[in-house]
Amino acid sequence: MNTTERYYDVAIIGTGIGGSTLASILARQGLSVIVFEGATHPRFTIGESMILETSEAMRALAEFYDVPELAYFSSENYYNLIGTSHGVKRHFSFLHHSPGESQNTRKSLQAVIPKLPYGHELHIHRQDSDYLLTSIAISYGAEVLQGTPVRDINIKSNGVEIQTDSQVYRAEYIVDAGGMKSLLAEKCGLRHRNLQAHTRALYTHMVNVPCFNDVGPGRAQYGHPFRVSEGTLHHIFKGGWLWVIPFNNHSRATNPLCSVGLQLDPRIYPLNADFTPEQEFYAFIDQFPDIRKQFKQARPVRAWMRTERLQYSSHHVVGDRFALLAHAMGFIDPLYSKGMYVTHMSVMIVADLILKAKQTGDYSASAFAPLEQITLRYMGMHDRLVANSFKSWHHHELWSVYAILWLLGAYLEYLKLTVTRLSARDRTDYLAQLAGLKLAGGGFAPFFELQEKVDTLIEQVNIEDKADVDRIVLKIRNLYAAYPWMPSAFRDLLDGKTFLPNNKLRVNLLNSSDGFLGEGVYRQHFFADTTLSKLIPKALYEQFRYGVFNLNWRKHA
């Protein structure tokens, strides 16, 4: 077997969003990068629903590493640069169902995503996005070998050897972004499944999936700001949920597909091997009249996929001269679309550490410890959030209070990410300010105290005892009432409202004590010495910078 004469700075396994993004950054920064991809693009994959935190991480990567293309999938404003095969996401919607009953419009939640200042989020058609990002990596100088699976990896004290079917390649460092089947995780015995969440999946892409508002209650009956097809729809029920992610949900759409996936707790709904995945899907949804109507005319465009338990993690994320990136390290569940956020923040950190190692020559596990620390924190919080969400779905009143914890955590995380990018002196300062993140809550200690209390109550409740459920719901409501930094829009949800406002700009945001900036430790943590007079001009500039007019002008400049 031949050994290449060239010695690379970094080898990467996998050209999904994480691998191709990292390759683009490192190549742009002048490192020699080789990327191995066992398949060829374009290829099918899921992980299609964007969230505010992911989009903000994309903007930070684009700015701090000088790769503007990394922001292309951060909002609908980029359609002229990425094409219209991607859907729009104006909200998260949750509809709670009970077997044999029509969906009760009061058991709904539409979490509207703000349009300002960046535009609404996207449903990313991964076949196109991953191909484009891989092409961008190549344009910056990365060498990408498609159709080239890695067969073995030999980590030595002075470098790494990567063996394919025909050749051996050498590099200073290797990042495994190969997903669940991570060669390094298996080779180093890092895998474990000691996690709280417990789900399996059935999924595919379909056509002829109507908007739920056309087969069930209409938008006016719900009183929601948007039709549910204009965002990511979650049908939730005891022991599971079903995602509906359309790509054909805006006026410029050119893609007729809709991503559909069913997540089930196998301890409640064991896999039935006598059914095909498609048969099992339809047999399951048959118990919910309105869901059944939504898929009556739907047709899959590819074979249904079915998995056993999804959850896995790793004892370690880094070792001497290697790191596991995102889903190579672990995976919890598609719920809340946190996976791509974890991926992009992991890329932010590992890219910085690799560039430092290039200067110092230190590729040890201890030099890359910050990646392991934050990744394991993210994984732990996501695991608990998913497990307790599934438990709360047994009773809508329990879910209605637990949903507030998810919303509050996501809002604070996004706030911290955005304000930090706007205020940080440079990448080092940015990463230092975000060192305390845990996936949700923006590193704010009082939130973590609240989250610990709420999660503990959910874990303690006896869901078979309605009186105990009512007692826990009251306790959680009292915790929220005592939390001084709860946004008024979330308090409205606790009072019975079923959606967040479309217009986020309200007069009370200007209040000195309970307005947008807050007061006390909250203001110090999220804004430090920033004032509204400093923040408003920055927000207006951001709206211009990432607006359609400026993006189109820069495209043709």
Side-chain angles (χ1 to χ4, degrees), residues 9 58 126 142 152 154 169 242 251 263 268 292 308 334 347 351 354-355 378 394 432 439 455 519 548:
D9 291 316
M58 287 178 168
R126 292 287 300 276
D152 198 11
N154 187 14
Y169 298 83
L242 191 160
S251 61
Q263 304 287 125
I268 301 175
R292 182 174 64 236
E308 296 185 353
V347 169
I354 288 172
L355 292 172
Y378 280 19
H394 285 68
L439 184 82
D455 274 324
E519 61 180 350
V548 174

Side-chain angles (χ1 to χ4, degrees), residues 10-23 34-38 43 45 126 130 150 153 173-185 191 312 317 322-330 343 346-347 350:
V10 179
I12 299 171
I13 301 175
T15 59
I17 281 185
S20 56
T21 296
L22 179 60
I34 186 165
V35 188
F36 302 91
E37 171 56 56
R43 60 190 177 126
T45 190
R126 292 287 300 276
D130 293 18
V150 173
I153 300 168
Y173 196 80
I174 186 166
V175 177
D176 191 337
M180 179 186 67
K181 297 180 180 179
S182 163
L183 183 59
L184 273 173
R191 278 281 180 264
Y312 61 92
V317 181
F322 78 85
L324 306 180
L325 184 66
H327 293 169
M329 177 270 171
T343 295
S346 298
V347 169
V350 75

Side-chain angles (χ1 to χ4, degrees), residues 202-252:
L202 302 94
Y203 58 91
T204 190
H205 280 172
M206 306 186 85
V207 292
N208 302 332
V209 179
C211 175
F212 183 79
N213 291 139
D214 293 335
V215 295
R219 186 188 68 81
Q221 290 174 266
Y222 283 105
H224 293 162
F226 296 105
R227 285 165 61 82
V228 293
S229 58
E230 293 182 82
T232 304
L233 172 58
H234 304 67
H235 292 296
I236 59 176
F237 35 79
K238 175 182 176 180
W241 66 286
L242 191 160
W243 80 70
V244 183
I245 303 176
F247 303 110
N248 61 343
N249 62 348
H250 57 97
S251 61
R252 299 179 62 190

Side-chain angles (χ1 to χ4, degrees), residues 81-137:
L81 285 82
I82 61 175
T84 52
S85 63
H86 311 280
V88 71
K89 179 176 177 179
R90 308 191 199 283
H91 58 77
F92 274 97
S93 283
F94 295 82
L95 305 179
H96 190 274
H97 296 262
S98 298
E101 299 178 10
S102 296
Q103 207 283 318
N104 182 341
T105 58
R106 296 302 306 162
K107 295 182 177 181
S108 66
L109 169 63
Q110 187 167 99
V112 175
I113 294 168
K115 183 175 178 64
L116 297 177
Y118 301 108
H120 284 125
E121 304 291 312
L122 294 175
H123 290 159
I124 298 178
H125 188 225
R126 292 287 300 276
Q127 175 177 305
D128 296 337
S129 65
D130 293 18
Y131 197 179
L132 176 58
L133 288 168
T134 298
S135 301
I136 290 168

Side-chain angles (χ1 to χ4, degrees), residues 21 25 57-66 70 344 347-348:
T21 296
I25 289 170
M58 287 178 168
R59 287 186 286 271
L61 287 167
E63 293 179 22
F64 288 121
Y65 289 107
D66 193 23
L70 298 184
H344 284 82
V347 169
M348 172 66 76

Side-chain angles (χ1 to χ4, degrees), residues 67 69 120 155 166 250 267 282 310 328 355 377 443 448 476 514 541-542:
V67 186
E69 297 92 341
H120 284 125
I155 298 174
S166 60
H250 57 97
R267 297 166 299 187
Y282 279 103
L310 285 174
L355 292 172
R377 290 203 304 268
F448 295 143
I476 294 174
D514 62 347
Y541 176 69
E542 289 283 287

Side-chain angles (χ1 to χ4, degrees), residues 314-503:
S314 299
H315 296 292
H316 293 286
V317 181
V318 302
D320 292 341
R321 294 192 178 271
F322 78 85
L324 306 180
L325 184 66
H327 293 169
M329 177 270 171
F331 183 77
I332 301 299
D333 192 272
L335 185 62
Y336 305 124
S337 305
K338 299 291 189 183
M340 281 203 287
Y341 171 51
V342 175
T343 295
H344 284 82
M345 288 306 291
S346 298
V347 169
M348 172 66 76
I349 295 166
V350 75
D352 182 72
L353 295 173
I354 288 172
L355 292 172
K356 289 177 180 175
K358 173 67 175 176
Q359 298 300 316
T360 65
D362 184 1
Y363 293 94
S364 66
S366 59
F368 285 77
L371 176 66
E372 175 160 308
Q373 293 162 3
I374 197 166
T375 304
L376 291 176
R377 290 203 304 268
Y378 280 19
M379 188 68 59
M381 181 170 281
H382 193 202
D383 182 35
R384 201 174 188 187
L385 179 63
V386 169
N388 286 340
S389 294
F390 266 72
K391 188 173 183 180
S392 75
W393 294 337
H394 285 68
H395 298 272
H396 178 261
E397 55 270 37
L398 195 60
W399 155 244
S400 67
V401 293
Y402 192 67
I404 301 299
L405 188 69
W406 158 63
L407 288 167
L408 180 61
Y411 167 71
L412 295 178
E413 191 84 354
Y414 176 61
L415 180 63
K416 183 66 174 177
L417 290 169
T418 305
V419 174
T420 302
R421 176 176 59 83
L422 295 179
S423 62
R425 297 184 301 274
D426 52 28
R427 186 174 75 239
T428 299
D429 185 33
Y430 175 83
L431 288 170
Q433 290 190 51
L434 299 183
L437 296 187
K438 297 183 180 181
L439 184 82
F444 188 44
F447 169 81
F448 295 143
E449 294 171 7
L450 175 68
Q451 171 249 321
E452 179 62 33
K453 292 175 182 177
V454 173
D455 274 324
T456 299
L457 287 171
I458 295 290
E459 288 157 0
Q460 291 174 346
V461 67
N462 179 1
I463 53 175
E464 304 302 328
D465 183 345
K466 186 60 168 59
D468 195 40
V469 170
D470 292 341
R471 181 180 64 84
I472 293 298
V473 168
L474 181 59
K475 282 192 170 185
I476 294 174
R477 284 182 171 274
N478 289 337
L479 287 172
Y480 292 155
Y483 183 78
W485 304 286
M486 183 70 72
S488 59
F490 297 167
R491 294 197 184 279
D492 290 343
L493 295 178
L494 288 167
D495 290 338
K497 199 170 182 178
T498 60
F499 60 89
L500 294 178
N502 185 22
N503 181 9

